[in-house]
Amino acid sequence: MNIQQIQEAREQYGIEGWGSGYFGIDDNGNVVCHPTGEEHLSIDLPDLVEQAKENGISAPMILRFPQIIENQIARLHHAFKEAVWEYSYEGGHRAVFPFKVNQRREFIDHIVRCGSDYHYGLEVGSKPELLAAMSYNLSEKALFICNGFKDREFIETGFIAKAMGKNVVLVVEGPDELSHIIDLAKENPALCPDIGIRAKLYSRGSGKWAKSSGESSKFGLTTVEVLHCMSLLKSAGMEDRLQMLHFHIGSQVTEIKRIKNAIKEASRVFAKVTHMGFSPQFLNIGGGVGVDYDGSKTSYQSSANYSLQELANDVVYEIGEVCKREKIQAPQIVTESGRVIAAYHSIVVADIREVQSTESFSAAEGFELDFNENTNHKSLGELKYIIENINRKNYIEYYHDSIEYYEEMFTLFNLGYVNLEERALAEQMFYRICRRALYFSSFEKHVPEEFESLQQRMVSKFLANFSIFQSIPDAWSIDQLFPVMPLSHHEQKPTHKATIVDITCDSDGCLERFIDRKDFRQTLDLHSPSDRPYYLGFFLVGAYQESLANEHNLFGAINEAEVYIDEKGDWEIRKTTIGDPIEELLNTRNYDTPEILTSLSKQLESAFSEGKLPGDVKDSYQSRLEVMMAGSPYLRESNKNKYL
Ligand SMILES: *Cc1c(COP(=O)(O)O)cnc(C)c1O
């Protein structure tokens, strides 16, 4: 195997940076997953995809590694444990998982199961999330935090959860919510949950979600409102109910400095509230821990310039310092990290259906056009001459000449002097010249600007059998970058500078920005697949993408496979889920699918009775439509396209 090429690939795709010990390229050039974070336990992803296919799960599919979730929970827990020990912090740490980051049942089941040793709790922000969360048996010390805007019904349900023995904290978003709580507590003092206050901080986060914090944020109470709430509690004699102060400065905070500043401010608020006769136990610092999507460890949008350990150290240290200075008891630190817990555990895998390059449209590959000196237009002869004679010395001049001849061919076409074959021949020749010219320009110390933009226009488009809107919606809606790379072929040199298009009929369904150690790059290096199937993996997509998925063009949820590895390194697919069939997608848009099938069958019947269709053909058409209705909306594997 080509070890040097494989090493180059590791660097090129940055997998050792963003892989965080979970992903790598093995010495066969295949991408592998280490679900437990241990390098000697690995799953070969191309093998896994083949195995999934044997189990009836074809691409596009989500591969899930629940052990990664477990490992992330353990990493977070240990980071705080370590920091608490290091700084002899007198409070502790308690984590909850924010439901909105991945509400999928299997996901939350897993969080609850493997989080119980750590007293992992849940955080909800809406009524459906609340009801789902209430169905779980959490460990005795786990917190059950209710954020979000609440009406009386929501708050009453919080009392019910408390009656069930859960450690409910109702975090109030305004004095109105608090008045409801106080009213209900008067009727039922023993069942009144703990109360939290979400305060607006002056400090802001960084990155795309900075507007979740700061004075003008949609969330939280101003200082005046905080005081108002405290006085309401005092007059109701409910000072002891105020147990939590909550802050959340936004998701994917890229700079540790921002977190530190927010923590300092939050700790002071906490201390001042304590000095005013309240005795809150919990300081909830929210979520926001960034995922290093590009592996650069910088404060760039798709990165984060700190590790979990650094974060835990800074949080614990800063809170401890303020408490010492303010002479108050150190609180229990609560974290609501979602992204960093969930992101790593899933990969979207899509098969490549077609490669379009401007030079040779792959669909037309093997379709050669012949040049005929005697009958073809003389501009074509000139283009042919350029192809044969372009070199490193003359390429700029020859390239300019070719533009002229090429444009001339189009003018002649519009005037009717050139036929369709000649027009096609001109296209083919011109793009061949562009490729040659680009090749020669790559030897220059400074590539001339026009060749840089030519390079951009010459990229190949790889058609991937999936929907960006369904599987990685943030790549479309907020231009988030995810690591993308082929699952195999890394022993070979990439041959294409490529962008990716999906199968939706939307020109936004494309990826034209990719991770890089510096900012981003405009193309992805991909291979010419031929001997084996070629799959692209979209990594770190376990947080938010499923919650935000949409069914543009009626492409719905894709197939899934859940995979576990044991301590001997044997792995298995424990669970598979079939994606949404067409009928289900139509149902969500209020179509009555039996009605549709009846209508289709009636139309076939009348074609039959008019003698336009033989009976057996009619029956076979009928059953094909029924199969299609129950099948997936994505492209099926065709033998011809199998390996492209
Ligand atoms: C969304 C949210 C979180 C999760 O944030 P991450 O950046 O995913 O860790 C935590 N707390 C609250 C209140 C939230 O709204």
Side-chain angles (χ1 to χ4, degrees):
M1 280 298 163
N2 190 343
I3 293 298
Q4 195 188 337
Q5 179 54 43
I6 291 172
Q7 190 49 37
E8 245 168 65
R10 288 180 183 127
E11 279 157 33
Q12 180 134 31
Y13 299 100
I15 191 166
E16 285 171 358
W18 55 259
S20 196
Y22 297 124
F23 303 105
I25 302 178
D26 71 4
D27 290 343
N28 296 317
N30 289 342
V31 177
V32 291
C33 173
H34 314 292
T36 60
E38 295 161 290
E39 207 182 339
H40 66 285
L41 300 179
S42 49
I43 302 176
D44 177 295
L45 294 186
D47 278 356
L48 172 53
V49 171
E50 286 310 310
Q51 179 68 51
K53 264 202 243 170
E54 280 171 31
N55 297 15
I57 294 292
S58 58
M61 64 175 106
I62 298 185
L63 300 176
R64 287 183 197 283
F65 303 93
Q67 286 164 306
I68 293 184
I69 307 170
E70 190 172 343
N71 209 60
Q72 283 299 97
I73 287 182
R75 282 186 188 179
L76 177 74
H77 177 80
H78 289 127
F80 272 92
K81 201 170 163 188
E82 183 81 17
V84 164
W85 180 83
E86 166 97 24
Y87 298 108
S88 314
Y89 183 75
E90 282 165 3
H93 165 247
R94 205 46 34 112
V96 297
F97 185 80
F99 234 82
K100 75 163 187 286
V101 180
N102 193 323
Q103 302 109 336
R104 217 172 143 275
R105 189 224 161 130
E106 287 83 350
F107 185 91
I108 301 286
D109 279 357
H110 202 77
I111 288 272
V112 171
R113 198 172 331 121
C114 61
S116 71
D117 288 348
Y118 307 121
H119 308 299
Y120 222 82
L122 292 172
E123 183 262 3
V124 300
S126 68
K127 293 182 198 177
E129 292 179 358
L130 171 65
L131 287 176
M134 280 168 69
S135 72
Y136 287 97
N137 263 327
L138 298 177
S139 92
E140 210 178 305
K141 290 189 192 156
L143 292 171
F144 189 100
I145 300 179
C146 303
N147 281 317
F149 298 100
K150 301 176 226 22
D151 59 7
R152 204 176 166 95
E153 183 183 37
F154 194 138
I155 291 168
E156 270 173 329
T157 314
F159 277 62
I160 299 175
K162 165 91 179 178
M164 294 171 176
K166 300 186 193 301
N167 300 314
V168 180
V169 185
L170 293 172
V171 178
V172 301
E173 294 274 357
D176 254 15
E177 289 181 11
L178 184 60
S179 308
H180 281 309
I181 299 176
I182 292 173
D183 281 352
L184 289 166
K186 280 190 190 131
E187 295 163 23
N188 226 332
L191 291 184
C192 182
D194 286 349
I195 295 169
I197 287 181
R198 178 164 179 175
K200 277 189 174 59
L201 291 187
Y202 183 76
S203 319
R204 297 178 57 122
S206 60
K208 282 186 195 295
W209 286 270
K211 74 169 185 290
S212 324
S213 56
E215 289 170 297
S216 57
S217 141
K218 167 178 156 190
F219 308 105
L221 280 61
T222 60
T223 320
V224 179
E225 288 168 321
V226 171
L227 292 179
H228 183 191
C229 285
M230 286 162 63
S231 91
L232 286 174
L233 283 168
K234 265 206 172 123
S235 14
M238 285 171 59
E239 291 93 330
D240 64 323
R241 292 289 83 215
L242 180 62
Q243 286 294 330
M244 178 178 285
L245 283 172
H246 179 262
F247 311 88
H248 172 67
I249 60 168
S251 204
Q252 186 67 15
V253 180
T254 54
E255 292 176 52
I256 186 83
K257 193 178 74 197
R258 306 292 183 124
I259 299 183
K260 278 206 246 186
N261 287 342
I263 292 289
K264 281 183 202 165
E265 186 185 344
S267 311
R268 287 288 174 188
V269 175
F270 188 91
K272 302 300 178 201
V273 168
T274 306
H275 290 319
M276 289 170 77
F278 292 81
S279 46
Q281 280 187 65
F282 299 106
L283 177 54
N284 183 343
I285 65 168
V289 178
V291 164
D292 191 5
Y293 290 98
D294 65 16
S296 66
K297 290 220 169 3
T298 60
S299 58
Y300 186 62
Q301 278 175 359
S302 43
S303 187
N305 70 358
Y306 51 89
S307 65
L308 266 183
Q309 190 61 62
E310 249 178 286
L311 170 97
N313 288 350
D314 285 346
V315 167
V316 170
Y317 173 80
E318 298 294 349
I319 297 177
E321 283 303 291
V322 171
C323 291
K324 270 183 224 156
R325 266 178 248 142
E326 295 271 357
K327 301 195 169 50
I328 59 163
Q329 203 185 339
Q332 292 280 320
I333 300 168
V334 178
T335 56
E336 299 179 331
S337 288
R339 183 185 296 275
V340 76
I341 297 295
Y344 294 93
H345 93 283
S346 67
I347 308 171
V348 167
V349 175
D351 48 318
I352 293 300
R353 306 299 295 211
E354 204 173 291
V355 180
Q356 307 170 344
S357 64
T358 24
E359 184 210 19
S360 64
F361 299 97
S362 77
E365 202 131 13
F367 181 70
E368 278 299 320
L369 293 161
D370 290 326
F371 171 69
N372 185 325
E373 218 172 322
N374 302 319
T375 56
N376 284 153
H377 196 275
K378 79 172 189 346
S379 294
L380 285 176
E382 301 288 354
L383 287 172
K384 184 161 193 298
Y385 176 85
I386 293 176
I387 292 181
E388 284 161 1
N389 294 285
I390 190 169
N391 62 34
R392 219 172 135 174
K393 284 219 179 77
N394 66 19
Y395 78 93
I396 297 184
E397 184 193 337
Y398 275 32
Y399 169 66
H400 290 157
D401 290 349
S402 72
I403 295 177
E404 226 166 88
Y405 294 124
Y406 186 50
E407 281 174 355
E408 190 174 290
M409 286 298 288
F410 276 95
T411 313
L412 291 168
F413 179 81
N414 289 346
L415 293 171
Y417 294 115
V418 158
N419 64 28
L420 212 49
E421 273 132 24
E422 287 175 310
R423 176 180 158 143
L425 202 51
E427 280 175 8
Q428 199 173 53
M429 287 175 159
F430 177 67
Y431 282 110
R432 214 160 268 175
I433 294 166
C434 291
R435 288 280 273 234
R436 300 287 291 158
L438 276 178
Y439 171 74
F440 293 124
S441 75
S442 68
F443 293 103
E444 305 275 356
K445 229 191 206 141
H446 299 289
V447 178
E449 205 171 298
E450 64 179 321
F451 289 96
E452 269 184 6
S453 61
L454 178 61
Q455 178 75 62
Q456 263 311 303
R457 283 190 285 131
M458 292 292 288
V459 300
S460 307
K461 287 188 168 62
F462 276 55
L463 178 68
N465 183 19
F466 84 133
S467 157
I468 285 171
F469 306 92
Q470 168 67 218
S471 295
I472 43 171
D474 277 348
W476 160 67
S477 58
I478 54 169
D479 284 334
Q480 195 188 316
L481 301 181
F482 295 97
V484 183
M485 65 188 290
L487 300 186
S488 59
H489 289 68
H490 295 294
E491 75 288 359
Q492 298 173 16
K493 224 176 184 41
T495 46
H496 292 266
K497 297 271 177 213
T499 57
I500 293 164
V501 294
D502 73 3
I503 60 168
T504 65
C505 303
D506 190 317
S507 56
D508 273 355
C510 62
L511 288 185
E512 293 176 335
R513 297 162 79 238
F514 303 93
I515 60 157
D516 193 14
R517 243 160 300 178
K518 205 170 140 277
D519 297 353
F520 62 90
R521 51 176 91 173
Q522 288 168 318
T523 58
L524 187 64
D525 289 292
L526 294 176
H527 308 82
S528 304
S530 55
D531 54 336
R532 283 167 287 154
Y534 198 66
Y535 293 105
L536 283 185
F538 300 82
F539 291 80
L540 275 48
V541 295
Y544 296 106
Q545 303 317 294
E546 292 170 65
S547 331
L548 297 171
N550 72 64
E551 287 154 6
H552 197 0
N553 259 160
L554 292 185
F555 288 110
I558 60 179
N559 296 332
E560 298 188 6
E562 220 177 89
V563 192
Y564 289 81
I565 196 164
D566 67 16
E567 63 280 4
K568 293 202 295 283
D570 296 328
W571 54 265
E572 63 170 337
I573 297 176
R574 286 220 194 131
K575 185 173 174 191
T576 56
T577 312
I578 301 287
D580 296 340
I582 291 176
E583 55 194 345
E584 197 169 315
L585 293 157
L586 289 174
N587 286 340
T588 63
R589 298 305 187 272
N590 294 344
Y591 285 94
D592 181 340
T593 43
E595 208 174 82
I596 291 183
L597 286 172
T598 311
S599 151
L600 299 181
S601 130
K602 268 194 198 144
Q603 296 177 64
L604 286 174
E605 285 298 342
S606 61
F608 167 66
S609 59
E610 285 162 24
K612 291 184 196 150
L613 265 188
D616 55 338
V617 174
K618 178 207 70 182
D619 290 344
S620 119
Y621 279 8
Q622 169 88 32
S623 60
R624 265 197 240 176
L625 291 172
E626 282 163 15
V627 167
M628 183 172 175
M629 185 64 98
S632 154
Y634 292 92
L635 304 181
R636 283 171 195 251
E637 215 159 280
S638 83
N639 290 333
K640 183 167 154 282
N641 271 345
K642 198 158 184 198
Y643 305 140
L644 272 183

